[in-house]
Amino acid sequence: MIRTPPSGSEHSHGFDFNYDFWFECVCGRRIQVPATTYDLQCQCIEPYPVCVCGTTIDISEARPIVRDPSDIDHHDDEVDRHVWYHSSTYQDWPSLAYRRDTAALLALSELPPEQHAETIDQKCSLALHLGTYAAAVENVLRRMADQDSPDHQYWLHQVEIQLQPGDLLPGVGSELATWFGDVPLTKLTERGARAIRYVNTHEDAGSISLAIDPRVITRVRTIQMPTAAAALPKTAVGEQAVTLAADNLAAAEQLRPEATGAPADQIFDSNLAIFLEEAMGRAVADSARAYAQQMERYRDRQGEVWSSLESALVDAYLSDVNTQMRNRLTRVIPTPTEPAEYHERFRTMAGLLVRPLMAVQQFETAPWRTPEPPS
């Protein structure tokens, strides 16, 4: 008899954004690398952890392993007993509109038209990825920073799956995907499976994720990301930082240079622009040079103010989040014209990391839907 997973049941892990990293030494021992040490290694700064066997752990050569050996998803019969998560730009994920959108993008590409149909079939014949809440949120932050506009609309999906005997490949393996996450369904079928567990090394590093055939999905429900309901409440420290930033930005306006005196065709905003102008053999007026230098001082001061505000808000709201997640979050919050607006956006985004359970509570009012199976 095929069991239906209890509605809304949660994995016991997957909401932690203050995790350390684990690696396996060549001797087979598990080595814990604190998030702070990991961050230093990302900057090529020592110290490098050393195993008791004397081997140095270099994160540029090693891949994260499962953080928690007792994770319930090591047990085959637990994998479809809890909800999984996925984040997407499609509200109706898994969306049949993906095929249409892929075709539209290819029409604008330089790929020869005779290759379009095959490419569309390949893109629409990929395994889907499911993971922890933390992995889904980190995926959005990475895409905001590297692929899409920070203002692009994202959706968080809570997913129930149902696995029949033989659907799940035994064991937890390494990642099958490329950096872009592409896993052809043939990689599953070649192994006689419709679901494969793997160690996620890109998001929620060391957690267990799934590559699945879409047909194992039974129900999905969806909420908007980020959700204002999980926004962090204002703190006195945060408000003071906003007030100070607003005052300092106003004072910085006194540094803004006047263009009066500089030739109309020589309004440069940096010393680099002047260097490039002179490199092309064109003379630069002293007044234009003075304007550019003053503009650089003005913009440097603005940058200092915004940087100080960011640091203050990180300290005020993200003390329980590891360095990597703090950096990912701050990279995707665009700098608006007003510190108060930045503060609001910061608290809303930070709520995804600091109040994850409040975020997922929003699913309680979201309707379940059964996705249309792929053709």
Side-chain angles (χ1 to χ4, degrees), residues 233-246 309 312-313 316-317 339-340 343-344 347:
K234 295 178 182 179
T235 65
V237 172
E239 288 285 80
Q240 290 167 6
V242 167
T243 299
L244 179 61
L309 175 60
L313 297 185
Y317 297 109
H343 188 204
E344 181 177 357
R347 291 185 298 105

Side-chain angles (χ1 to χ4, degrees), residues 82-103:
H82 61 81
V83 293
W84 291 82
Y85 290 90
H86 182 87
S87 51
S88 171
T89 56
Y90 290 93
Q91 184 176 5
D92 62 342
W93 179 91
S95 176
L96 297 180
Y98 178 71
R99 187 179 189 90
R100 178 202 65 208
D101 293 347
T102 300

Side-chain angles (χ1 to χ4, degrees), residues 16-21 33-39 67 134 138 141 203-205 314 317-330 353-354:
D16 180 16
F17 292 94
N18 196 26
Y19 56 83
D20 290 335
F21 297 78
V33 178
T36 50
T37 302
Y38 182 90
D39 185 55
R67 295 201 309 265
E138 287 194 45
L141 297 180
E203 292 105 15
D204 195 17
V314 166
Y317 297 109
L318 298 178
S319 60
D320 292 329
V321 172
N322 69 27
T323 303
Q324 290 71 37
M325 290 311 306
R326 294 176 194 170
N327 292 340
R328 285 193 175 188
L329 184 76
T330 54
L353 311 183
V354 180

Side-chain angles (χ1 to χ4, degrees), residues 65-115:
I65 60 173
V66 171
R67 295 201 309 265
D68 182 9
S70 66
D71 191 313
I72 61 172
D73 283 320
H74 283 289
H75 304 287
D76 294 357
D77 59 353
E78 294 286 348
V79 173
D80 63 355
R81 288 184 178 176
H82 61 81
V83 293
W84 291 82
Y85 290 90
H86 182 87
S87 51
S88 171
T89 56
Y90 290 93
Q91 184 176 5
D92 62 342
W93 179 91
S95 176
L96 297 180
Y98 178 71
R99 187 179 189 90
R100 178 202 65 208
D101 293 347
T102 300
L105 288 174
L106 285 174
L108 300 174
S109 73
E110 296 181 359
L111 189 71
E114 61 271 18
Q115 297 180 24

